[in-house]
Amino acid sequence: QVMLVESGGGLVQAGGSLRLSCAASARPFANYAKGWFRQAPGKERELVAAINWIGGSTSYAVAVQGRFTISRDNAENTLYLQMTNLKPEDTALYYCAASSTRVPDVKIWPYEYEYWGQGTQVTVSS
């Protein structure tokens, strides 16, 4: 069983920045594919950014390309999401996800991940 704990969410004005963190109990976390997803009220959970288990490939939602960056610190067993130039439409509950299945491809669908955190709320005011 892998425990994922997100932190770093909060209330920020449009144009501001936040960095989300996801601390994992899995060791080594490097062996897992990882991703960030978000879910706004009344909407389906959607991909924000993901990275394959090797770490050489990433994928981003079109809406966040150029503004968000996914990264990992294997030594700290932590996944990050740096968010800049935040917009009100980025408001959502953000989830960290992990998958133990090692394939070269970046996993972009929620069903591909078996481990999920509880989420951290990001609210962007206009």
Side-chain angles (χ1 to χ4, degrees), residues 43-107:
K43 295 187 176 182
E44 294 186 353
R45 192 169 298 190
E46 63 177 8
L47 171 75
V48 177
I51 186 168
N52 67 347
W53 79 272
I54 298 175
S57 298
T58 57
S59 183
Y60 293 89
V62 172
V64 307
Q65 284 179 353
R67 300 188 297 123
F68 292 10
T69 303
I70 188 171
S71 64
R72 62 181 191 171
D73 186 331
N74 291 336
E76 295 294 327
N77 256 33
T78 304
L79 180 71
Y80 299 101
L81 182 69
Q82 179 67 49
M83 306 186 293
T84 62
N85 191 21
L86 283 159
K87 304 176 180 180
E89 51 264 43
D90 295 319
T91 296
L93 189 61
Y94 282 69
Y95 296 92
C96 171
S99 171
S100 60
T101 305
R102 289 185 240 175
V103 297
D105 301 336
V106 179
K107 300 185 179 187

Short mmCIF file of all heavy atoms in Angstrom, two decimals, residues 43-107:
data_model
loop_
_atom_site.label_atom_id
_atom_site.label_comp_id
_atom_site.label_asym_id
_atom_site.label_seq_id
_atom_site.Cartn_x
_atom_site.Cartn_y
_atom_site.Cartn_z
N LYS A 43 -17.47 18.62 -12.30
CA LYS A 43 -16.68 18.20 -13.45
C LYS A 43 -15.95 16.89 -13.16
O LYS A 43 -15.77 16.51 -12.01
CB LYS A 43 -15.68 19.28 -13.84
CG LYS A 43 -16.33 20.57 -14.34
CD LYS A 43 -15.30 21.54 -14.87
CE LYS A 43 -15.95 22.79 -15.44
NZ LYS A 43 -14.94 23.73 -16.01
N GLU A 44 -15.52 16.23 -14.23
CA GLU A 44 -14.78 15.00 -14.07
C GLU A 44 -13.32 15.30 -13.70
O GLU A 44 -12.80 16.37 -13.97
CB GLU A 44 -14.82 14.19 -15.38
CG GLU A 44 -16.20 13.67 -15.73
CD GLU A 44 -16.18 12.77 -16.94
OE1 GLU A 44 -15.13 12.65 -17.58
OE2 GLU A 44 -17.24 12.18 -17.24
N ARG A 45 -12.70 14.30 -13.10
CA ARG A 45 -11.28 14.41 -12.77
C ARG A 45 -10.50 14.43 -14.08
O ARG A 45 -10.73 13.61 -14.97
CB ARG A 45 -10.86 13.25 -11.89
CG ARG A 45 -9.49 13.41 -11.26
CD ARG A 45 -9.26 12.36 -10.19
NE ARG A 45 -10.22 12.47 -9.09
CZ ARG A 45 -10.10 11.79 -7.96
NH1 ARG A 45 -9.10 10.96 -7.78
NH2 ARG A 45 -11.01 11.94 -7.02
N GLU A 46 -9.53 15.34 -14.16
CA GLU A 46 -8.78 15.49 -15.40
C GLU A 46 -7.29 15.58 -15.13
O GLU A 46 -6.85 16.02 -14.07
CB GLU A 46 -9.23 16.76 -16.15
CG GLU A 46 -8.98 18.05 -15.40
CD GLU A 46 -9.37 19.29 -16.19
OE1 GLU A 46 -9.98 19.15 -17.27
OE2 GLU A 46 -9.04 20.40 -15.72
N LEU A 47 -6.54 15.18 -16.14
CA LEU A 47 -5.09 15.25 -16.05
C LEU A 47 -4.63 16.70 -15.99
O LEU A 47 -5.13 17.56 -16.71
CB LEU A 47 -4.46 14.60 -17.28
CG LEU A 47 -2.96 14.78 -17.44
CD1 LEU A 47 -2.21 13.88 -16.46
CD2 LEU A 47 -2.53 14.51 -18.87
N VAL A 48 -3.65 16.96 -15.14
CA VAL A 48 -2.94 18.23 -15.14
C VAL A 48 -1.55 18.01 -15.74
O VAL A 48 -1.17 18.66 -16.71
CB VAL A 48 -2.80 18.81 -13.72
CG1 VAL A 48 -2.00 20.10 -13.75
CG2 VAL A 48 -4.17 19.05 -13.11
N ALA A 49 -0.82 17.07 -15.15
CA ALA A 49 0.53 16.75 -15.63
C ALA A 49 0.90 15.37 -15.13
O ALA A 49 0.44 14.94 -14.07
CB ALA A 49 1.54 17.78 -15.14
N ALA A 50 1.74 14.68 -15.90
CA ALA A 50 2.17 13.34 -15.50
C ALA A 50 3.58 13.10 -15.99
O ALA A 50 4.05 13.76 -16.94
CB ALA A 50 1.22 12.29 -16.06
N ILE A 51 4.24 12.15 -15.33
CA ILE A 51 5.61 11.80 -15.67
C ILE A 51 5.73 10.29 -15.64
O ILE A 51 5.17 9.63 -14.76
CB ILE A 51 6.60 12.50 -14.71
CG1 ILE A 51 8.04 12.27 -15.12
CG2 ILE A 51 6.38 12.05 -13.27
CD1 ILE A 51 9.03 13.17 -14.38
N ASN A 52 6.45 9.72 -16.60
CA ASN A 52 6.58 8.26 -16.60
C ASN A 52 7.55 7.82 -15.52
O ASN A 52 8.25 8.64 -14.91
CB ASN A 52 6.99 7.75 -17.98
CG ASN A 52 8.40 8.17 -18.38
OD1 ASN A 52 9.00 9.04 -17.76
ND2 ASN A 52 8.91 7.57 -19.43
N TRP A 53 7.61 6.52 -15.28
CA TRP A 53 8.36 6.06 -14.11
C TRP A 53 9.86 6.29 -14.26
O TRP A 53 10.57 6.52 -13.28
CB TRP A 53 8.05 4.59 -13.84
CG TRP A 53 8.77 3.63 -14.72
CD1 TRP A 53 8.36 3.18 -15.94
CD2 TRP A 53 10.01 2.98 -14.46
NE1 TRP A 53 9.28 2.31 -16.45
CE2 TRP A 53 10.30 2.15 -15.57
CE3 TRP A 53 10.92 3.02 -13.39
CZ2 TRP A 53 11.44 1.38 -15.64
CZ3 TRP A 53 12.06 2.24 -13.46
CH2 TRP A 53 12.31 1.43 -14.58
N ILE A 54 10.34 6.28 -15.52
CA ILE A 54 11.76 6.53 -15.74
C ILE A 54 12.08 8.00 -15.50
O ILE A 54 13.17 8.34 -15.06
CB ILE A 54 12.14 6.13 -17.19
CG1 ILE A 54 11.90 4.64 -17.39
CG2 ILE A 54 13.58 6.50 -17.49
CD1 ILE A 54 12.14 4.17 -18.81
N GLY A 55 11.10 8.85 -15.77
CA GLY A 55 11.29 10.28 -15.55
C GLY A 55 11.72 11.05 -16.77
O GLY A 55 11.91 12.25 -16.70
N GLY A 56 11.82 10.36 -17.89
CA GLY A 56 12.28 11.04 -19.08
C GLY A 56 11.20 11.69 -19.91
O GLY A 56 11.49 12.47 -20.82
N SER A 57 9.94 11.37 -19.64
CA SER A 57 8.83 11.90 -20.43
C SER A 57 7.76 12.47 -19.53
O SER A 57 7.48 11.94 -18.47
CB SER A 57 8.22 10.78 -21.29
OG SER A 57 9.17 10.27 -22.20
N THR A 58 7.19 13.58 -19.99
CA THR A 58 6.10 14.22 -19.27
C THR A 58 4.96 14.53 -20.24
O THR A 58 5.15 14.56 -21.47
CB THR A 58 6.55 15.54 -18.61
OG1 THR A 58 7.09 16.41 -19.62
CG2 THR A 58 7.61 15.29 -17.55
N SER A 59 3.80 14.77 -19.67
CA SER A 59 2.64 15.16 -20.45
C SER A 59 1.85 16.19 -19.67
O SER A 59 1.72 16.07 -18.44
CB SER A 59 1.77 13.94 -20.76
OG SER A 59 0.68 14.29 -21.57
N TYR A 60 1.34 17.19 -20.36
CA TYR A 60 0.59 18.26 -19.71
C TYR A 60 -0.74 18.47 -20.42
O TYR A 60 -0.85 18.32 -21.64
CB TYR A 60 1.37 19.58 -19.77
CG TYR A 60 2.63 19.60 -18.95
CD1 TYR A 60 3.84 19.19 -19.48
CD2 TYR A 60 2.60 20.04 -17.62
CE1 TYR A 60 5.00 19.20 -18.73
CE2 TYR A 60 3.75 20.06 -16.85
CZ TYR A 60 4.95 19.64 -17.41
OH TYR A 60 6.09 19.66 -16.65
N ALA A 61 -1.73 18.86 -19.64
CA ALA A 61 -2.98 19.29 -20.23
C ALA A 61 -2.72 20.56 -21.03
O ALA A 61 -1.89 21.40 -20.63
CB ALA A 61 -4.01 19.56 -19.14
N VAL A 62 -3.43 20.72 -22.11
CA VAL A 62 -3.24 21.90 -22.95
C VAL A 62 -3.46 23.18 -22.15
O VAL A 62 -2.73 24.16 -22.31
CB VAL A 62 -4.20 21.85 -24.16
CG1 VAL A 62 -4.15 23.16 -24.94
CG2 VAL A 62 -3.85 20.68 -25.07
N ALA A 63 -4.41 23.15 -21.24
CA ALA A 63 -4.76 24.35 -20.48
C ALA A 63 -3.65 24.84 -19.57
O ALA A 63 -3.67 26.01 -19.14
CB ALA A 63 -6.03 24.10 -19.67
N VAL A 64 -2.70 23.97 -19.24
CA VAL A 64 -1.65 24.37 -18.29
C VAL A 64 -0.27 24.42 -18.93
O VAL A 64 0.69 24.80 -18.26
CB VAL A 64 -1.63 23.43 -17.07
CG1 VAL A 64 -3.02 23.33 -16.45
CG2 VAL A 64 -1.08 22.06 -17.41
N GLN A 65 -0.15 24.05 -20.18
CA GLN A 65 1.15 24.05 -20.83
C GLN A 65 1.77 25.43 -20.79
O GLN A 65 1.12 26.43 -21.07
CB GLN A 65 1.01 23.57 -22.28
CG GLN A 65 0.81 22.06 -22.40
CD GLN A 65 0.66 21.60 -23.84
OE1 GLN A 65 0.57 22.41 -24.76
NE2 GLN A 65 0.62 20.30 -24.03
N GLY A 66 3.03 25.46 -20.43
CA GLY A 66 3.75 26.72 -20.34
C GLY A 66 3.59 27.42 -19.01
O GLY A 66 4.28 28.42 -18.74
N ARG A 67 2.67 26.95 -18.17
CA ARG A 67 2.44 27.58 -16.87
C ARG A 67 2.78 26.65 -15.70
O ARG A 67 3.19 27.11 -14.64
CB ARG A 67 0.98 28.02 -16.74
CG ARG A 67 0.54 29.02 -17.80
CD ARG A 67 -0.86 29.55 -17.49
NE ARG A 67 -1.89 28.51 -17.52
CZ ARG A 67 -2.69 28.23 -16.50
NH1 ARG A 67 -2.59 28.89 -15.36
NH2 ARG A 67 -3.62 27.28 -16.63
N PHE A 68 2.57 25.36 -15.88
CA PHE A 68 2.79 24.38 -14.82
C PHE A 68 3.98 23.49 -15.18
O PHE A 68 4.21 23.19 -16.36
CB PHE A 68 1.57 23.49 -14.64
CG PHE A 68 0.34 24.16 -14.07
CD1 PHE A 68 0.26 25.53 -13.95
CD2 PHE A 68 -0.74 23.40 -13.68
CE1 PHE A 68 -0.88 26.16 -13.42
CE2 PHE A 68 -1.88 23.99 -13.16
CZ PHE A 68 -1.95 25.37 -13.04
N THR A 69 4.69 23.03 -14.15
CA THR A 69 5.81 22.13 -14.35
C THR A 69 5.77 21.01 -13.32
O THR A 69 5.71 21.29 -12.11
CB THR A 69 7.15 22.87 -14.24
OG1 THR A 69 7.19 23.95 -15.17
CG2 THR A 69 8.31 21.93 -14.52
N ILE A 70 5.82 19.79 -13.79
CA ILE A 70 5.88 18.64 -12.89
C ILE A 70 7.33 18.23 -12.72
O ILE A 70 8.13 18.27 -13.67
CB ILE A 70 5.04 17.45 -13.45
CG1 ILE A 70 4.95 16.33 -12.42
CG2 ILE A 70 5.57 16.97 -14.79
CD1 ILE A 70 3.97 15.22 -12.82
N SER A 71 7.69 17.89 -11.49
CA SER A 71 9.05 17.45 -11.22
C SER A 71 9.04 16.48 -10.05
O SER A 71 8.05 16.38 -9.33
CB SER A 71 9.97 18.64 -10.93
OG SER A 71 9.57 19.31 -9.75
N ARG A 72 10.14 15.79 -9.86
CA ARG A 72 10.23 14.83 -8.78
C ARG A 72 11.58 14.92 -8.11
O ARG A 72 12.57 15.30 -8.73
CB ARG A 72 9.99 13.41 -9.30
CG ARG A 72 11.04 12.98 -10.31
CD ARG A 72 10.79 11.60 -10.84
NE ARG A 72 11.94 11.12 -11.60
CZ ARG A 72 12.09 9.90 -12.04
NH1 ARG A 72 11.17 9.00 -11.79
NH2 ARG A 72 13.16 9.55 -12.72
N ASP A 73 11.60 14.59 -6.85
CA ASP A 73 12.84 14.48 -6.08
C ASP A 73 12.88 13.07 -5.54
O ASP A 73 12.24 12.76 -4.54
CB ASP A 73 12.87 15.52 -4.97
CG ASP A 73 14.19 15.54 -4.23
OD1 ASP A 73 14.85 14.48 -4.17
OD2 ASP A 73 14.57 16.60 -3.72
N ASN A 74 13.60 12.20 -6.22
CA ASN A 74 13.61 10.80 -5.82
C ASN A 74 14.22 10.61 -4.43
O ASN A 74 13.78 9.75 -3.66
CB ASN A 74 14.36 9.97 -6.85
CG ASN A 74 13.63 9.87 -8.17
OD1 ASN A 74 12.41 10.01 -8.21
ND2 ASN A 74 14.36 9.64 -9.24
N ALA A 75 15.22 11.39 -4.12
CA ALA A 75 15.86 11.27 -2.81
C ALA A 75 14.89 11.61 -1.68
O ALA A 75 14.97 11.04 -0.59
CB ALA A 75 17.08 12.17 -2.74
N GLU A 76 13.98 12.55 -1.95
CA GLU A 76 13.01 12.97 -0.93
C GLU A 76 11.67 12.25 -1.07
O GLU A 76 10.76 12.50 -0.29
CB GLU A 76 12.80 14.48 -1.03
CG GLU A 76 14.04 15.31 -0.71
CD GLU A 76 14.46 15.16 0.73
OE1 GLU A 76 13.57 14.99 1.60
OE2 GLU A 76 15.68 15.18 0.99
N ASN A 77 11.58 11.35 -2.07
CA ASN A 77 10.31 10.64 -2.28
C ASN A 77 9.14 11.60 -2.46
O ASN A 77 8.05 11.39 -1.90
CB ASN A 77 10.02 9.71 -1.10
CG ASN A 77 10.29 8.26 -1.45
OD1 ASN A 77 11.19 7.97 -2.22
ND2 ASN A 77 9.51 7.36 -0.90
N THR A 78 9.37 12.65 -3.23
CA THR A 78 8.37 13.71 -3.36
C THR A 78 8.16 14.09 -4.82
O THR A 78 9.11 14.14 -5.60
CB THR A 78 8.80 14.95 -2.56
OG1 THR A 78 9.02 14.57 -1.19
CG2 THR A 78 7.73 16.02 -2.60
N LEU A 79 6.91 14.34 -5.14
CA LEU A 79 6.52 14.84 -6.45
C LEU A 79 6.05 16.28 -6.28
O LEU A 79 5.42 16.61 -5.28
CB LEU A 79 5.37 13.98 -7.01
CG LEU A 79 4.83 14.35 -8.39
CD1 LEU A 79 5.86 14.01 -9.46
CD2 LEU A 79 3.51 13.62 -8.64
N TYR A 80 6.37 17.11 -7.25
CA TYR A 80 6.01 18.52 -7.18
C TYR A 80 5.20 18.95 -8.40
O TYR A 80 5.29 18.35 -9.47
CB TYR A 80 7.26 19.41 -7.10
CG TYR A 80 8.12 19.15 -5.91
CD1 TYR A 80 9.29 18.39 -6.00
CD2 TYR A 80 7.78 19.68 -4.66
CE1 TYR A 80 10.08 18.15 -4.90
CE2 TYR A 80 8.57 19.45 -3.55
CZ TYR A 80 9.72 18.69 -3.67
OH TYR A 80 10.50 18.46 -2.57
N LEU A 81 4.43 20.01 -8.20
CA LEU A 81 3.77 20.68 -9.31
C LEU A 81 3.93 22.18 -9.08
O LEU A 81 3.33 22.74 -8.17
CB LEU A 81 2.28 20.33 -9.40
CG LEU A 81 1.55 20.95 -10.59
CD1 LEU A 81 2.03 20.32 -11.90
CD2 LEU A 81 0.03 20.78 -10.45
N GLN A 82 4.78 22.80 -9.88
CA GLN A 82 4.97 24.24 -9.82
C GLN A 82 3.94 24.88 -10.73
O GLN A 82 3.88 24.58 -11.93
CB GLN A 82 6.38 24.63 -10.26
CG GLN A 82 6.63 26.12 -10.24
CD GLN A 82 6.64 26.70 -8.83
OE1 GLN A 82 7.28 26.18 -7.93
NE2 GLN A 82 5.89 27.78 -8.64
N MET A 83 3.13 25.76 -10.16
CA MET A 83 2.07 26.41 -10.92
C MET A 83 2.30 27.91 -10.94
O MET A 83 2.44 28.53 -9.87
CB MET A 83 0.71 26.10 -10.28
CG MET A 83 0.44 24.61 -10.10
SD MET A 83 -1.22 24.25 -9.51
CE MET A 83 -1.13 24.96 -7.88
N THR A 84 2.37 28.48 -12.10
CA THR A 84 2.57 29.92 -12.25
C THR A 84 1.45 30.51 -13.09
O THR A 84 0.72 29.80 -13.78
CB THR A 84 3.92 30.23 -12.91
OG1 THR A 84 3.94 29.67 -14.23
CG2 THR A 84 5.07 29.65 -12.11
N ASN A 85 1.33 31.85 -13.04
CA ASN A 85 0.30 32.55 -13.80
C ASN A 85 -1.06 31.87 -13.63
O ASN A 85 -1.75 31.58 -14.61
CB ASN A 85 0.67 32.62 -15.28
CG ASN A 85 -0.21 33.55 -16.07
OD1 ASN A 85 -0.86 34.43 -15.51
ND2 ASN A 85 -0.27 33.35 -17.38
N LEU A 86 -1.43 31.63 -12.40
CA LEU A 86 -2.67 30.92 -12.12
C LEU A 86 -3.88 31.73 -12.57
O LEU A 86 -3.89 32.97 -12.50
CB LEU A 86 -2.76 30.60 -10.64
CG LEU A 86 -1.89 29.41 -10.21
CD1 LEU A 86 -1.62 29.43 -8.72
CD2 LEU A 86 -2.58 28.11 -10.61
N LYS A 87 -4.90 31.00 -13.00
CA LYS A 87 -6.12 31.60 -13.50
C LYS A 87 -7.31 31.08 -12.68
O LYS A 87 -7.23 29.98 -12.12
CB LYS A 87 -6.33 31.23 -14.97
CG LYS A 87 -5.17 31.62 -15.87
CD LYS A 87 -5.38 31.15 -17.29
CE LYS A 87 -4.21 31.54 -18.18
NZ LYS A 87 -4.41 31.09 -19.59
N PRO A 88 -8.40 31.82 -12.64
CA PRO A 88 -9.58 31.34 -11.87
C PRO A 88 -10.03 29.96 -12.32
O PRO A 88 -10.51 29.18 -11.48
CB PRO A 88 -10.63 32.42 -12.16
CG PRO A 88 -9.83 33.66 -12.40
CD PRO A 88 -8.60 33.20 -13.11
N GLU A 89 -9.88 29.64 -13.58
CA GLU A 89 -10.30 28.32 -14.06
C GLU A 89 -9.40 27.18 -13.58
O GLU A 89 -9.70 26.01 -13.80
CB GLU A 89 -10.40 28.30 -15.59
CG GLU A 89 -9.17 28.82 -16.31
CD GLU A 89 -9.30 30.28 -16.70
OE1 GLU A 89 -9.78 31.09 -15.88
OE2 GLU A 89 -8.88 30.61 -17.83
N ASP A 90 -8.29 27.51 -12.93
CA ASP A 90 -7.44 26.48 -12.31
C ASP A 90 -7.97 26.05 -10.94
O ASP A 90 -7.44 25.12 -10.34
CB ASP A 90 -6.01 27.00 -12.14
CG ASP A 90 -5.32 27.27 -13.48
OD1 ASP A 90 -5.49 26.44 -14.40
OD2 ASP A 90 -4.63 28.30 -13.58
N THR A 91 -9.00 26.72 -10.46
CA THR A 91 -9.57 26.38 -9.17
C THR A 91 -10.12 24.96 -9.18
O THR A 91 -10.94 24.61 -10.04
CB THR A 91 -10.69 27.37 -8.80
OG1 THR A 91 -10.13 28.67 -8.64
CG2 THR A 91 -11.40 26.94 -7.53
N ALA A 92 -9.63 24.14 -8.27
CA ALA A 92 -10.04 22.73 -8.21
C ALA A 92 -9.37 22.06 -7.02
O ALA A 92 -8.50 22.65 -6.37
CB ALA A 92 -9.64 22.00 -9.49
N LEU A 93 -9.78 20.83 -6.77
CA LEU A 93 -9.09 19.97 -5.82
C LEU A 93 -8.03 19.21 -6.61
O LEU A 93 -8.36 18.55 -7.61
CB LEU A 93 -10.08 19.02 -5.16
CG LEU A 93 -9.59 18.18 -3.98
CD1 LEU A 93 -9.12 19.09 -2.85
CD2 LEU A 93 -10.71 17.27 -3.49
N TYR A 94 -6.79 19.33 -6.19
CA TYR A 94 -5.68 18.73 -6.92
C TYR A 94 -5.23 17.45 -6.22
O TYR A 94 -4.97 17.44 -5.01
CB TYR A 94 -4.51 19.71 -7.00
CG TYR A 94 -4.72 20.78 -8.05
CD1 TYR A 94 -5.68 21.76 -7.88
CD2 TYR A 94 -3.98 20.78 -9.23
CE1 TYR A 94 -5.90 22.73 -8.85
CE2 TYR A 94 -4.18 21.75 -10.21
CZ TYR A 94 -5.15 22.72 -10.01
OH TYR A 94 -5.36 23.68 -10.97
N TYR A 95 -5.11 16.39 -7.02
CA TYR A 95 -4.73 15.07 -6.50
C TYR A 95 -3.40 14.62 -7.07
O TYR A 95 -3.12 14.81 -8.25
CB TYR A 95 -5.78 14.03 -6.89
CG TYR A 95 -7.14 14.23 -6.32
CD1 TYR A 95 -8.12 14.94 -7.01
CD2 TYR A 95 -7.49 13.69 -5.08
CE1 TYR A 95 -9.38 15.11 -6.49
CE2 TYR A 95 -8.76 13.86 -4.56
CZ TYR A 95 -9.69 14.57 -5.27
OH TYR A 95 -10.95 14.74 -4.74
N CYS A 96 -2.65 13.96 -6.22
CA CYS A 96 -1.44 13.27 -6.63
C CYS A 96 -1.81 11.79 -6.85
O CYS A 96 -2.61 11.25 -6.09
CB CYS A 96 -0.40 13.42 -5.53
SG CYS A 96 1.09 12.44 -5.71
N ALA A 97 -1.21 11.18 -7.87
CA ALA A 97 -1.50 9.79 -8.16
C ALA A 97 -0.22 9.05 -8.51
O ALA A 97 0.73 9.65 -9.03
CB ALA A 97 -2.50 9.69 -9.32
N ALA A 98 -0.22 7.74 -8.27
CA ALA A 98 0.95 6.92 -8.56
C ALA A 98 0.51 5.56 -9.07
O ALA A 98 -0.54 5.04 -8.68
CB ALA A 98 1.82 6.77 -7.32
N SER A 99 1.35 5.00 -9.94
CA SER A 99 1.10 3.67 -10.48
C SER A 99 2.37 2.86 -10.43
O SER A 99 3.45 3.35 -10.79
CB SER A 99 0.61 3.76 -11.92
OG SER A 99 0.57 2.49 -12.51
N SER A 100 2.23 1.59 -10.01
CA SER A 100 3.40 0.72 -9.90
C SER A 100 3.70 0.00 -11.21
O SER A 100 4.72 -0.68 -11.31
CB SER A 100 3.17 -0.30 -8.79
OG SER A 100 2.03 -1.09 -9.07
N THR A 101 2.83 0.14 -12.19
CA THR A 101 3.03 -0.54 -13.47
C THR A 101 4.04 0.23 -14.29
O THR A 101 3.80 1.38 -14.64
CB THR A 101 1.72 -0.65 -14.25
OG1 THR A 101 0.74 -1.28 -13.44
CG2 THR A 101 1.92 -1.46 -15.52
N ARG A 102 5.13 -0.41 -14.61
CA ARG A 102 6.22 0.29 -15.29
C ARG A 102 6.15 0.05 -16.80
O ARG A 102 6.48 -1.03 -17.28
CB ARG A 102 7.57 -0.18 -14.76
CG ARG A 102 7.85 0.30 -13.36
CD ARG A 102 9.26 -0.09 -12.93
NE ARG A 102 9.22 -0.93 -11.75
CZ ARG A 102 10.30 -1.50 -11.23
NH1 ARG A 102 11.47 -1.34 -11.79
NH2 ARG A 102 10.19 -2.24 -10.16
N VAL A 103 5.68 1.10 -17.48
CA VAL A 103 5.66 1.12 -18.93
C VAL A 103 6.33 2.41 -19.39
O VAL A 103 6.36 3.38 -18.64
CB VAL A 103 4.22 1.03 -19.49
CG1 VAL A 103 3.58 -0.29 -19.09
CG2 VAL A 103 3.38 2.19 -18.99
N PRO A 104 6.85 2.42 -20.61
CA PRO A 104 7.56 3.64 -21.06
C PRO A 104 6.64 4.85 -21.21
O PRO A 104 7.08 5.98 -21.06
CB PRO A 104 8.15 3.23 -22.39
CG PRO A 104 8.18 1.75 -22.38
CD PRO A 104 6.99 1.33 -21.56
N ASP A 105 5.36 4.59 -21.53
CA ASP A 105 4.45 5.69 -21.81
C ASP A 105 4.08 6.46 -20.57
O ASP A 105 4.05 5.92 -19.47
CB ASP A 105 3.17 5.15 -22.46
CG ASP A 105 3.46 4.41 -23.75
OD1 ASP A 105 4.51 4.67 -24.37
OD2 ASP A 105 2.64 3.56 -24.13
N VAL A 106 3.74 7.73 -20.77
CA VAL A 106 3.20 8.55 -19.70
C VAL A 106 1.73 8.19 -19.54
O VAL A 106 0.99 8.14 -20.51
CB VAL A 106 3.35 10.05 -20.02
CG1 VAL A 106 2.74 10.88 -18.89
CG2 VAL A 106 4.81 10.41 -20.24
N LYS A 107 1.31 7.98 -18.32
CA LYS A 107 -0.08 7.61 -18.05
C LYS A 107 -0.91 8.86 -17.86
O LYS A 107 -0.66 9.65 -16.94
CB LYS A 107 -0.15 6.72 -16.81
CG LYS A 107 0.65 5.45 -16.99
CD LYS A 107 0.49 4.52 -15.81
CE LYS A 107 1.30 3.23 -16.06
NZ LYS A 107 1.06 2.23 -15.04
#
